[in-house]
Amino acid sequence: MSTRLLRRRPARIGSAVVIAIILLLLAVALGWTGIAAMAASGSSAGAVTAPLTDSGAGLDSLDHVHWGSAAVIAVGAVLAVLGLIAVILGVSPGARRITSVQAATPDHIGDLEVAVPTSALSHLAAAAADGVDGVEGVKAASNATSTIVTFSTPIRDTDPIRDEVEAVVRQRFDSISFDRTPKVKVQARRSKS
């Protein structure tokens, strides 16, 4: 099966790229205004000591801040770095949230790919574990390769229950034709009763 079709971009791409572009534009505007102040003063030494108020209206409260100050340089650098980080996070694919399943392909269908979301794996594991005697509450968390089942029980000796929960969840997963069956880890917590 092709993993190319099963891997999708996360939903965060639109918002992250928009925020990244805004941050990068602010950093570029700050740099451009600083270069314009240097060009207007005629020398680099004069531009470093030129106040921010010389380059734009509405900046009268910033008379004491100069283009060469560490605060202005730091703000520009932070904006640029945050913008680049947001672009990278928005464009890079997220974690796999699906697991592929083998399905019988009819002759009239060329390529067929079947996938199960990892949230469904969590629900399957929790439902299977909830039916075990002695289990009071169940939580399950899954990713593409493993499932962690955490259950609570009032019984002091949790080892037999943990083994039974693990066997039941593995049996449920084995009944599904996964391309790669997720690993099962079981954790027990003693509930106060």
Side-chain angles (χ1 to χ4, degrees), residues 13 18 25 41-42 44 46 82 96-97 114 125 143 154 187 190:
I13 190 168
V18 168
L25 287 176
S41 68
S44 62
L82 287 176
R96 290 190 64 169
R97 292 193 169 97
V114 179
N143 60 29
Q187 301 172 347
R190 183 142 186 267

Side-chain angles (χ1 to χ4, degrees), residues 155-191:
I155 300 171
R156 290 179 193 234
D157 186 19
T158 61
D159 289 340
I161 298 173
R162 187 172 42 80
D163 293 340
E164 189 175 349
V165 166
E166 184 174 349
V168 166
V169 173
R170 283 185 195 276
Q171 182 181 7
R172 175 70 58 95
F173 283 176
D174 288 341
S175 68
I176 301 169
S177 300
F178 291 111
D179 282 347
R180 189 180 337 164
T181 304
K183 295 177 184 175
V184 177
K185 297 177 186 176
V186 179
Q187 301 172 347
R189 293 192 179 165
R190 183 142 186 267
S191 62

Side-chain angles (χ1 to χ4, degrees), residues 3-14:
T3 58
R4 178 178 51 85
L5 296 175
L6 296 176
R7 189 161 180 113
R8 292 191 174 170
R9 298 261 183 228
R12 68 178 185 246
I13 190 168

Side-chain angles (χ1 to χ4, degrees), residues 99 118 121 142-147 180-184:
T99 300
T118 56
L121 291 178
S142 298
N143 60 29
T145 59
S146 67
T147 297
R180 189 180 337 164
T181 304
K183 295 177 184 175
V184 177

Side-chain angles (χ1 to χ4, degrees), residues 76-165:
V78 166
L79 286 174
V81 168
L82 287 176
L84 290 174
I85 289 172
V87 166
I88 291 169
L89 289 177
V91 174
S92 66
R96 290 190 64 169
R97 292 193 169 97
I98 54 176
T99 300
S100 58
V101 179
Q102 297 172 358
T105 307
D107 293 334
H108 64 282
I109 296 177
D111 289 331
L112 175 68
E113 293 189 55
V114 179
V116 175
T118 56
S119 60
L121 291 178
S122 299
H123 292 301
L124 286 170
D130 197 32
V132 175
D133 287 338
V135 172
E136 198 171 74
V138 179
K139 291 182 181 178
S142 298
N143 60 29
T145 59
S146 67
T147 297
I148 299 173
V149 178
T150 305
F151 71 92
S152 59
T153 182
I155 300 171
R156 290 179 193 234
D157 186 19
T158 61
D159 289 340
I161 298 173
R162 187 172 42 80
D163 293 340
E164 189 175 349
V165 166

Side-chain angles (χ1 to χ4, degrees), residues 55-67:
S55 54
L59 300 175
D60 296 334
S61 64
L62 298 175
D63 284 340
H64 63 283
V65 180
H66 300 285
W67 283 108

